[in-house]
Amino acid sequence: MLLYILVIGLTMILVFCGNFFWFPVDMSLLKISLLTLMLPFLVVAWDGISATFVRRALPEKWFTKDVKFHHVGKKECKFYELLGIKYWKDHVLELGMFTSFSKKKVSNPNDPEYISRFIMECNYGVQVHLWNFILGFVLMLFFPRLISLRFILPAVIANSILSILPLMILRYNVPRLERLFAVLEKKTNRAHASQKPSAEPSPAE
C-alpha cells in the first residue's frame, strides 16, 4: 500500500509543479489543482471498467490452468528474479484482498480443487492488470491534447507501473501453484485407486 501511495503522491506533485512552476500552462491555479486532484479518481475508475469487463464479459474457460497463454516458462521467472521480485513482491498492493483469494497466502494448500481455482484467479488478475496497462493510454483520447499530455499522460505512466508490478508477481507465482497442483493431483489419484474394491473372484464352475 505504501508503494502505491508514494507513486500516486509523487505523480500528483510532479504534475502540479510541472504545470504551475516549471513549465507553466495557461490555466488558473484552481484549474490546475482540480485537474491534478481528479487524476487518481479518474484512473482508478477507468481501471475498474476494464477489470469489470475481464471478470464479467470474458468466458471463464480462458483463465483455467490449461490455457497455454497463461503458462510461465523458467526464463520468464529468472527474469523476474533478476529484477529482485523476491524482495519487493510483498510490498505491492493486490486486488485479491477484496476476494477470498490472495497472492500471498494459499488457504487450502492440500485441496487440488482449491489450488486450481487459485491459479484461475491469478490468471484473471494477470489479464486485469494487462488490460489496465494497455487501456490506460486510451484514456488520453477523451481529453483535449493539452490536458492529455500535461495531466493524463503522467498519470497513465504511473498507472502502468502500478499495473505491471502485480502482473509480474502473479505470473511468478503461477508455476509454483501448478507444481503444487500436480503433486496434489497425483496423491489424490493414488488415494482413490487404493480405495477401489478389489475384483471379486469368479465363481467356481
Side-chain angles (χ1 to χ4, degrees):
M1 177 65 77
L2 179 60
L3 175 63
Y4 277 64
I5 294 174
L6 289 175
V7 172
I8 294 171
L10 180 61
T11 301
M12 294 176 67
I13 291 172
L14 292 175
V15 168
F16 177 82
C17 292
N19 287 290
F20 190 72
F21 295 111
W22 304 328
F23 308 99
V25 65
D26 188 17
M27 295 179 182
S28 66
L29 173 61
L30 178 60
K31 187 173 183 178
I32 294 174
S33 300
L34 290 176
L35 286 172
T36 302
L37 290 172
M38 82 165 187
L39 292 177
F41 302 99
L42 178 67
V43 173
V44 168
W46 184 251
D47 284 349
I49 293 173
S50 60
T52 301
F53 171 77
V54 171
R55 292 304 302 251
R56 305 300 180 188
L58 301 183
E60 189 176 88
K61 64 181 180 180
W62 289 7
F63 302 93
T64 64
K65 60 181 179 60
D66 300 317
V67 177
K68 188 175 181 180
F69 176 81
H70 296 293
H71 290 176
V72 183
K74 293 182 179 180
K75 290 183 179 179
E76 184 176 344
C77 288
K78 287 291 184 182
F79 173 72
Y80 297 147
E81 290 175 357
L82 288 175
L83 295 178
I85 193 170
K86 293 180 180 179
Y87 303 102
W88 51 260
K89 64 185 181 69
D90 291 332
H91 301 288
V92 175
L93 186 66
E94 57 171 320
L95 298 178
M97 64 183 179
F98 300 111
T99 70
S100 60
F101 290 87
S102 166
K103 71 173 186 292
K104 296 177 182 175
K105 183 178 180 181
V106 178
S107 299
N108 300 315
N110 297 316
D111 184 355
E113 185 176 346
Y114 176 87
I115 299 301
S116 179
R117 183 68 195 184
F118 197 104
I119 293 172
M120 181 183 293
E121 290 295 323
C122 286
N123 293 337
Y124 266 119
V126 168
Q127 285 293 312
V128 166
H129 291 300
L130 180 62
W131 281 87
N132 289 346
F133 177 84
I134 297 172
L135 293 182
F137 293 92
V138 177
L139 190 60
M140 298 175 61
L141 301 177
F142 297 97
F143 294 88
R145 186 171 182 273
L146 182 65
I147 294 178
S148 290
L149 293 177
R150 285 180 169 265
F151 293 89
I152 307 300
L153 180 58
V156 168
I157 292 174
N159 184 62
S160 297
I161 296 172
L162 296 179
S163 296
I164 201 67
L165 293 179
L167 186 154
M168 289 192 294
I169 294 171
L170 291 168
R171 294 277 292 177
Y172 182 71
N173 286 340
V174 164
R176 288 153 181 75
L177 291 170
E178 289 177 338
R179 288 195 293 270
L180 177 60
F181 175 83
V183 171
L184 294 176
E185 190 176 41
K186 288 180 180 179
K187 288 183 178 179
T188 302
N189 291 338
R190 285 198 298 266
H192 287 166
S194 64
Q195 292 174 359
K196 289 183 179 179
S198 57
E200 295 182 359
S202 57
E205 295 184 0

